[in-house]
């Protein structure tokens, strides 16, 4: 996508903040809980936590059997100057199970969740508060300290011709229905949808990016008016017909032609976690189909609101847009926990 950039400042663009991973172990009388998470994230990233709960206590296992489940909830709080959590959480998310092994000698349970960090979030000290119940016992709470560090975003002005101005300002019932349909999908958290627990791969081998995640945009309309918005994904400057592949294993939950985004695909990877692919010229998948990481979704194009051929790649977590770059690292701490 071609554009006029008024400011081009982007710090730590290719840094992978899951590299700052940290594990914290909590030992109790009859079980052990280990939490894996990142000590530093940026606005627009996410806070993911992997909980590993183990017991070899024979009495506890015998009393529970193999069917006892574990539950947990994550709440993100900004810390005050005295390091006490603020009264209101900035984000919340329920954990879901991704692995469980139970036998006569041990029970091994792995839970995962993630909470999106808005691009407008202030830097500073934060705490991930986890309230959990393990092996049928009463609730307990642990605190995981982390930092949100500053990030500067691109500011850009994009002039639109009459065709794209008409698309951007379209208030038709059809476009409204398409927006509502997509929002309903992105707001759905299906706790059985555990498809991909490893890092993502970029949807194309191309490396030329023409727009970045979190860009602060001004659309300059052909009639002289304008509007402001955020860019929710990454634009790859690739020619029409370039292969577009799924960033991870998942289920196709949308595959259709939309007014704003042209031929579009949405893939569900984890409860509340979706990847989106816009402006394509051809689709190779259909709704309900399960795809593997790297499987062909279709071909890039310039359909919908586009000033030139490109692929728009976007990731949503619990409806919120999150930097796709965050997910190409070991965001579930799969390797760290082994």
């Amino acid at each position: 996508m071609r554009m006029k950039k008024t400011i081009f400042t982007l710090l730590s663009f290719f840094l992978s903040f899951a590299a700052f991973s940290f594990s914290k172990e909590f030992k109790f009388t009859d079980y052990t809980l280990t939490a894996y998470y990142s000590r530093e994230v940026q606005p627009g990233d996410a806070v993911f936590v992997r909980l590993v709960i183990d017991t070899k206590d024979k009495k506890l296992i015998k009393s529970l059997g193999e069917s006892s489940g574990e539950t947990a909830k994550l709440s993100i709080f900004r810390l005050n100057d005295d390091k006490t959590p603020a009264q209101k959480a900035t984000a919340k998310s329920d954990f879901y199970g991704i692995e469980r092994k139970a036998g006569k000698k041990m029970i091994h349970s792995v839970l995962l969740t993630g909470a999106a960090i808005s691009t407008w979030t202030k830097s500073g000290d934060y705490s991930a508060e986890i309230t959990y119940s393990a092996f049928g016992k009463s609730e307990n709470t642990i605190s995981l300290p982390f930092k949100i560090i500053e990030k500067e975003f691109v500011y850009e002005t994009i002039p639109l011709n009459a065709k794209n101005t008409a698309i951007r300002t379209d208030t038709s019932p059809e476009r409204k229905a398409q927006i509502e349909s997509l929002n309903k999908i992105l707001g759905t958290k299906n706790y059985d949808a555990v498809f991909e627990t490893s890092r993502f791969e970029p949807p194309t081998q191309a490396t030329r990016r023409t727009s970045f995640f979190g860009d602060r945009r001004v659309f300059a309309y052909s009639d002289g008016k304008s509007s402001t918005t955020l860019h929710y994904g990454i634009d790859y400057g690739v020619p029409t017909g370039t292969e577009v592949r799924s960033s991870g294993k998942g289920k196709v939950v949308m595959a259709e032609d939309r007014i704003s985004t042209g031929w579009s695909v949405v893939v569900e990877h984890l409860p509340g976690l979706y990847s989106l692919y816009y402006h394509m010229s051809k689709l190779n998948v259909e709704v309900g189909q399960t795809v593997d990481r790297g499987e062909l979704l279709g071909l890039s194009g310039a359909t919908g609101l586009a000033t030139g051929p490109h692929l728009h790649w976007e990731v949503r977590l619990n409806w919120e847009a999150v930097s796709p770059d965050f997910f190409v690292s070991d965001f579930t701490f799969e390797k760290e926990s082994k």
Side-chain angles (χ1 to χ4, degrees):
M1 179 178 284
R2 295 177 181 177
M3 63 199 72
K4 178 183 178 183
K5 297 184 186 296
T6 56
I7 299 179
F8 189 84
T9 306
L10 192 63
L11 297 180
S12 306
F13 175 66
F14 288 106
L15 281 181
S16 171
F17 285 94
F20 295 94
S21 60
F22 184 78
S23 63
K24 194 170 184 179
E25 188 178 79
F26 301 84
K27 291 186 177 181
F28 301 92
T29 303
D30 43 15
Y31 69 92
T32 300
L33 181 150
T34 306
Y36 297 85
Y37 70 107
S38 292
R39 294 296 296 269
E40 290 185 355
V41 296
Q42 289 182 325
D45 287 346
V47 173
F48 265 79
V49 181
R50 185 187 189 100
L51 290 183
V52 180
I53 309 175
D54 292 298
T55 183
K56 294 183 179 180
D57 187 278
K58 295 180 180 179
K59 291 183 179 180
L60 179 60
I61 294 172
K62 185 177 180 180
S63 65
L64 291 172
E66 298 182 6
S67 59
S68 175
E70 293 72 55
T71 61
K73 295 182 178 181
L74 169 68
S75 299
I76 303 298
F77 291 92
R78 180 178 174 85
L79 296 182
N80 298 315
D81 292 338
D82 61 356
K83 302 303 180 182
T84 59
Q87 291 185 344
K88 186 177 180 181
T90 60
K92 294 183 178 181
S93 185
D94 291 340
F95 281 80
Y96 44 86
I98 61 172
E99 181 183 350
R100 198 170 197 278
K101 299 177 183 178
K104 295 181 179 181
K105 296 183 178 180
M106 58 83 71
I107 298 177
H108 173 77
S109 184
V110 182
L111 308 179
L112 182 71
T113 199
I117 303 298
S118 167
T119 61
W120 302 106
T121 303
K122 295 181 179 179
S123 61
D125 294 322
Y126 286 76
S127 178
E129 304 281 321
I130 300 171
T131 302
Y132 70 95
S133 175
F135 308 127
K137 293 183 172 293
S138 59
E139 283 191 341
N140 199 359
T141 299
I142 59 174
S143 299
L144 307 175
F146 70 97
K147 291 181 179 292
I148 295 179
I149 64 176
E150 290 186 7
K151 179 179 180 180
E152 294 187 32
F153 293 92
V154 172
Y155 285 76
E156 61 189 2
T157 297
I158 303 177
L160 299 183
N161 60 21
K163 173 178 174 293
N164 283 326
T165 295
I167 293 175
R168 175 69 184 170
T169 58
D170 187 338
T171 59
S172 66
E174 181 183 3
R175 183 167 181 255
K176 287 182 179 179
Q178 290 177 353
I179 293 172
E180 290 175 0
S181 176
L182 178 59
N183 286 341
K184 184 177 180 180
I185 290 172
L186 299 180
T188 299
K189 194 169 184 178
N190 176 13
Y191 289 95
D192 294 324
V194 178
F195 297 103
E196 183 60 271
T197 58
S198 300
R199 66 176 184 83
F200 283 5
E201 292 182 357
T204 174
Q205 294 183 352
T207 58
R208 188 172 75 90
R209 301 183 178 194
T210 53
S211 288
F212 307 99
F213 170 79
D215 287 359
R216 277 59 170 151
R217 286 181 164 181
V218 175
F219 283 113
Y221 298 147
S222 60
D223 60 4
K225 297 180 180 180
S226 64
S227 66
T228 59
T229 186
L230 289 178
H231 190 232
Y232 292 137
I234 295 170
D235 285 348
Y236 290 94
V238 294
T240 295
T242 301
E243 292 184 343
V244 177
R245 299 186 176 275
S246 182
S247 54
K249 184 177 182 179
K251 180 180 179 180
V252 177
V253 291
M254 175 179 282
E256 63 182 44
D257 186 16
R258 304 177 72 244
I259 293 172
S260 297
T261 59
W263 287 103
S264 307
V265 173
V266 178
V267 179
E268 180 182 35
H269 301 285
L270 286 170
L273 182 62
Y274 301 86
S275 61
L276 302 82
Y277 313 80
Y278 288 165
H279 308 297
M280 298 166 71
S281 61
K282 179 182 179 181
L283 303 188
N284 279 47
V285 293
E286 57 186 23
V287 172
Q289 180 178 341
T290 299
V291 293
D292 290 324
R293 183 196 310 161
E295 186 166 339
L296 184 67
L297 300 177
L299 304 178
S300 67
T303 57
L305 199 167
T307 59
H310 71 288
L311 168 66
H312 173 96
W313 179 39
E314 187 173 318
V315 177
R316 294 291 190 110
L317 175 62
N318 302 331
W319 195 86
E320 297 287 344
V322 181
S323 173
D325 285 320
F326 174 84
F327 295 92
V328 300
S329 61
D330 184 21
F331 71 95
T332 67
F333 311 102
E334 183 180 53
K335 294 182 179 180
E336 294 289 332
S337 61
K338 291 183 178 179

